[in-house]
């Protein structure tokens, strides 16, 4: 009896301990000065955070010499991010598994594929076992040649993260294609085209616009209420003074880049462009599985879609106008227009592609598509959430059995 209890108690402890597989790629690579440039760029592009968040991952690391050849191409930072994200495989490959690939060749999805910046299957990496134990790497569309080769295993934590050195950056025309420089992004036209016209129109003539533009380079996340949310809110908006209108618009953006993954895993207070001083014009981010909601003291809005995600600028569609307590009372929210369902909205395919006017040229042609959102969701399931759930269930099971046996 007692033995059983201890067995379950031990299981419980073991599973609780197992729920902290936290790896920190920055710290792992810091022990290897030969990879300092690569490490630096993982942080600079925010890829490090994405890598740390995932639980089954392989990083194909480039030493300082290989990084220096890559940097010689003078790519912009967003483009470097695309290239490096091709070097992060969303599957675990230790040195052993790498040399035992079935049928000697395989295609593995990378983070470039998962973030939706890749066109088609350009985000897949071909791994091929060659003669004499050599292993070659290339982008999926590789013209029959493999230019990067396995060098050595840097560090392996089976089956969470493996860091393998390869000889040279995997070259890919798709990943190296220029991305729109952030400051060249025309916020107003992108928002207008992506179902955020009403909000863009309010912003266009407003004193709030410069603050949005000034932050695009350093990082900007915009929460854009849908057109129907704005039209339902119009009587209240008209009622505000000019200064209050500016504050309300500024309240819908935050001066940092927050990817959907980051929002999903960072519950808590978020300052906005309207924030001056502590506890002013902030709101709370709450995530539940795939759903992310924004709670002010007055009302709650949900993210229903992504308009554009081009680090360092990202814009989400939300189903209500956020009402800060600085401008509204709780009772003001009661008559708010019915909002769209908080389920992620299916965006129109190719909405941002194939436009003929000149504004469209500014809009990145390779923004996230429906598929990428689904892909993200799927990746999250296979890499994070489900693993956590399994451990939670194990912990609960251990507890319940422990008490039963007592
Ligand atoms: C990872 O390690 C770096 C360097 O030690 C540190 O600055 C960073 O905060 C760590 N990240 C996390 C999520 O712990
Ligand atoms: C090869 O196939 C076997 C059986 O189908 C599987 O267990 C193994 O994991 C595969 N190896 C790799 C590297 O995919
Ligand atoms: C290996 O290739 C053979 C023939 O092409 C195929 O039938 C088999 O399913 C492949 N095995 C794996 C594990 O992919
Ligand atoms: C990987 O690339 C090599 C060389 O181009 C090619 O022979 C092989 O078929 C590719 N593998 C896959 C799975 O596409
Ligand atoms: C406009 O403001 C007045 C005075 O503050 C208030 O009584 C009225 O209800 C407001 N109208 C709307 C539509 O919010």
């Amino acid at each position: 009896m007692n033995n059983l209890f201890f067995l379950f108690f031990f299981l419980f402890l073991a599973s609780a301990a197992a729920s902290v597989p936290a790896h920190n790629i920055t710290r792992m690579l810091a022990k290897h000065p030969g990879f300092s440039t690569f490490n630096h760029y993982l942080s600079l592009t925010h890829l490090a955070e994405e890598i740390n968040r995932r639980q089954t991952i392989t990083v194909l690391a480039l030493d300082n010499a290989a990084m220096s050849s890559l940097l010689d191409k003078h790519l912009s930072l967003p483009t470097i991010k695309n290239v490096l994200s091709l070097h992060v495989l969303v599957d675990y490959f230790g040195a052993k598994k790498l040399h035992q690939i079935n049928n000697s060749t395989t295609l593995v999805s990378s983070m470039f594929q998962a973030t939706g910046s890749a066109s088609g299957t350009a985000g897949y990496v071909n791994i091929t076992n060659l003669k004499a134990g050599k292993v070659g790497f290339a982008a999926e569309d590789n013209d029959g040649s493999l230019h990067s080769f396995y060098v050595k295993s840097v560090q392996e934590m089976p089956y969470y993260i493996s860091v393998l050195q390869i000889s040279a950056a995997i070259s890919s025309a798709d990943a190296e294609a220029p991305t729109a420089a952030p400051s060249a992004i025309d916020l107003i036209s992108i928002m207008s085209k992506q179902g955020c016209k009403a909000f863009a129109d309010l912003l266009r003539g407003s004193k709030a616009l410069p603050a949005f533009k000034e932050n695009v380079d350093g990082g900007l996340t915009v929460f854009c209420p849908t057109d129907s949310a704005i039209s339902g809110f119009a009587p209240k908006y008209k009622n505000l003074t000019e200064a209050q209108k500016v504050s309300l618009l500024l309240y819908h953006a935050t001066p940092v880049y927050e990817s959907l993954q980051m929002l999903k895993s960072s519950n808590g207070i978020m300052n906005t462009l309207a924030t001056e001083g502590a506890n002013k014009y902030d709101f709370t981010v709450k995530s539940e599985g795939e759903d992310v909601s924004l709670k002010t003291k007055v009302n709650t809005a949900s993210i229903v879609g992504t308009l554009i995600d081009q680090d360092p600028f990202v814009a989400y569609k939300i189903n209500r106008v956020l009402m800060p307590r600085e401008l509204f009372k709780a009772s003001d929210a009661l008559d708010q227009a019915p909002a769209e369902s908080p389920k992620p909205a299916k965006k129109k395919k190719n909405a941002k592609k194939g436009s003929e006017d000149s504004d469209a040229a500014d809009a990145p042609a390779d923004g996230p598509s429906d598929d990428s959102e689904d892909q993200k969701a799927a990746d999250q399931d296979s890499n994070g959430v489900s693993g956590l759930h399994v451990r939670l269930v194990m912990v609960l099971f251990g507890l319940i059995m422990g008490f039963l046996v007592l």
Side-chain angles (χ1 to χ4, degrees), residues 65-175:
M67 269 310 281
S68 145
S69 310
L70 175 63
L71 295 175
D72 281 347
K73 295 185 178 181
H74 300 291
L75 306 171
S76 70
L77 191 60
T79 303
I80 291 178
K81 179 177 187 172
N82 283 346
V83 173
L84 293 185
S85 61
L86 190 62
H87 291 69
V88 182
L89 309 179
V90 296
D91 193 359
Y92 183 89
F93 281 91
K96 193 163 167 233
K97 183 173 165 193
L98 197 63
H99 286 95
Q100 288 165 3
I101 288 167
N102 287 316
N103 286 345
S104 288
T105 184
T106 189
L107 290 176
V108 184
S109 183
S110 73
M111 213 126 100
F112 182 46
Q113 188 73 26
T115 50
S117 301
S119 59
T121 54
Y124 281 84
V125 172
N126 173 322
I127 306 180
T128 300
N129 290 339
L130 304 164
K131 253 189 250 155
K134 252 183 146 180
V135 184
F137 295 82
E140 188 239 343
D141 178 17
N142 63 44
D143 306 326
S145 56
L146 303 147
H147 293 294
S148 306
F149 301 98
Y150 169 74
V151 177
K152 66 171 192 278
S153 169
V154 177
Q155 194 173 346
E156 297 180 26
M157 285 169 66
Y159 290 90
Y160 294 118
I161 183 167
S162 162
V163 183
L164 307 175
Q165 182 187 354
I166 59 170
S167 59
I170 297 172
S171 75
S172 152
D174 204 70

Side-chain angles (χ1 to χ4, degrees), residues 4 28 33 42 61 73 83 95 100 131 157 171 241 261 310 314-315 318 348 357 386 400:
L4 257 180
M28 286 168 82
L42 287 186
K73 295 185 178 181
V83 173
Q100 288 165 3
K131 253 189 250 155
M157 285 169 66
S171 75
T241 66
Q261 297 282 358
Q310 192 90 129
V314 57
I318 58 175
K348 279 193 214 87
D357 67 7
S386 65
I400 290 167

Side-chain angles (χ1 to χ4, degrees), residues 185-225:
I185 287 174
D186 185 341
L187 297 170
I188 298 291
S189 86
I190 290 176
M191 291 199 271
S192 297
K193 289 199 177 85
Q194 301 296 320
C196 185
K197 186 168 187 318
F199 185 75
D201 287 345
L202 294 182
L203 200 54
R204 195 191 305 271
S206 164
K207 289 208 173 75
L209 184 57
F212 280 72
K213 288 187 165 166
E214 279 156 24
N215 279 288
V216 166
D217 285 321
L220 181 70
T221 302
V222 175
F223 300 99
C224 171

Side-chain angles (χ1 to χ4, degrees), residues 109-406:
S109 183
S110 73
M111 213 126 100
F112 182 46
Q113 188 73 26
T115 50
S117 301
S119 59
T121 54
Y124 281 84
V125 172
N126 173 322
I127 306 180
T128 300
N129 290 339
L130 304 164
K131 253 189 250 155
K134 252 183 146 180
V135 184
F137 295 82
E140 188 239 343
D141 178 17
N142 63 44
D143 306 326
S145 56
L146 303 147
H147 293 294
S148 306
F149 301 98
Y150 169 74
V151 177
K152 66 171 192 278
S153 169
V154 177
Q155 194 173 346
E156 297 180 26
M157 285 169 66
Y159 290 90
Y160 294 118
I161 183 167
S162 162
V163 183
L164 307 175
Q165 182 187 354
I166 59 170
S167 59
I170 297 172
S171 75
S172 152
D174 204 70
E176 287 168 33
T179 55
S183 44
I185 287 174
D186 185 341
L187 297 170
I188 298 291
S189 86
I190 290 176
M191 291 199 271
S192 297
K193 289 199 177 85
Q194 301 296 320
C196 185
K197 186 168 187 318
F199 185 75
D201 287 345
L202 294 182
L203 200 54
R204 195 191 305 271
S206 164
K207 289 208 173 75
L209 184 57
F212 280 72
K213 288 187 165 166
E214 279 156 24
N215 279 288
V216 166
D217 285 321
L220 181 70
T221 302
V222 175
F223 300 99
C224 171
T226 60
D227 290 358
S228 63
I230 296 272
S231 80
F233 190 78
K236 287 197 174 62
Y237 187 74
K238 288 205 186 88
N239 218 8
L240 298 173
T241 66
E242 280 312 307
Q244 289 173 330
K245 285 177 185 167
V246 170
S247 296
L248 184 81
L249 295 176
L250 291 175
Y251 189 56
H252 285 78
T254 183
V256 280
Y257 169 77
E258 294 275 354
S259 72
L260 202 54
Q261 297 282 358
M262 290 165 163
L263 286 172
K264 277 176 190 162
S265 60
S266 65
N267 288 319
I269 301 284
M270 181 167 289
N271 283 339
T272 67
L273 293 182
T275 303
E276 23 176 342
N279 303 319
K280 287 254 175 66
Y281 284 105
D282 55 15
F283 56 75
T284 304
V285 179
K286 273 223 141 66
S287 65
E288 232 183 292
E290 293 301 298
D291 297 328
V292 178
S293 53
L294 315 175
K295 288 175 183 284
T296 80
K297 286 276 175 343
V298 177
N299 70 345
T300 299
S302 298
I303 293 183
V304 294
T306 304
L307 303 181
I308 173 177
D309 182 355
Q310 192 90 129
D311 188 3
F313 170 55
V314 57
Y316 303 104
K317 200 191 277 194
I318 58 175
N319 64 349
R320 283 196 184 85
V321 174
L322 293 167
M323 296 167 75
R325 61 148 180 250
E326 286 80 3
L327 300 178
F328 300 97
K329 302 183 295 290
S331 56
D332 291 331
L334 296 178
D335 57 339
Q336 243 200 317
E340 278 177 29
S341 118
K343 280 274 142 246
K346 282 280 167 196
K347 285 172 290 158
K348 279 193 214 87
K349 283 237 176 212
N350 297 327
K352 70 183 71 157
K353 295 185 183 167
S355 248
E356 58 296 325
D357 67 7
S358 64
D359 283 348
D362 290 342
D366 53 0
S369 65
D370 287 344
D371 300 339
S372 72
E373 285 301 313
D374 293 344
Q375 177 71 42
K376 272 184 201 164
D379 286 335
Q380 171 102 0
D381 279 347
S382 62
N383 282 315
V385 172
S386 65
L388 241 156
H389 280 174
V390 168
R391 280 190 290 271
L392 256 177
V393 169
M394 275 169 68
V395 167
L396 281 176
F397 179 74
L399 262 180
I400 290 167
M401 289 313 282
F403 280 118
L404 277 185
V405 170
L406 260 183

Side-chain angles (χ1 to χ4, degrees), residues 13-95:
L13 280 185
S15 61
S19 66
V20 224
H23 52 253
N24 181 331
I25 185 69
T26 312
R27 204 174 299 147
M28 286 168 82
L29 285 173
K31 286 180 249 159
H32 306 272
F35 295 92
S36 58
T37 313
F38 182 72
N39 200 9
H40 173 70
Y41 275 89
L42 287 186
S43 296
L44 214 56
T45 55
H46 301 292
L47 277 171
E49 291 151 51
E50 301 287 337
I51 291 168
N52 294 345
R53 201 159 288 122
R54 287 171 182 261
Q55 290 192 5
T56 310
I57 206 142
T58 302
V59 178
L60 303 175
L62 301 170
D63 67 7
N64 293 343
M67 269 310 281
S68 145
S69 310
L70 175 63
L71 295 175
D72 281 347
K73 295 185 178 181
H74 300 291
L75 306 171
S76 70
L77 191 60
T79 303
I80 291 178
K81 179 177 187 172
N82 283 346
V83 173
L84 293 185
S85 61
L86 190 62
H87 291 69
V88 182
L89 309 179
V90 296
D91 193 359
Y92 183 89
F93 281 91

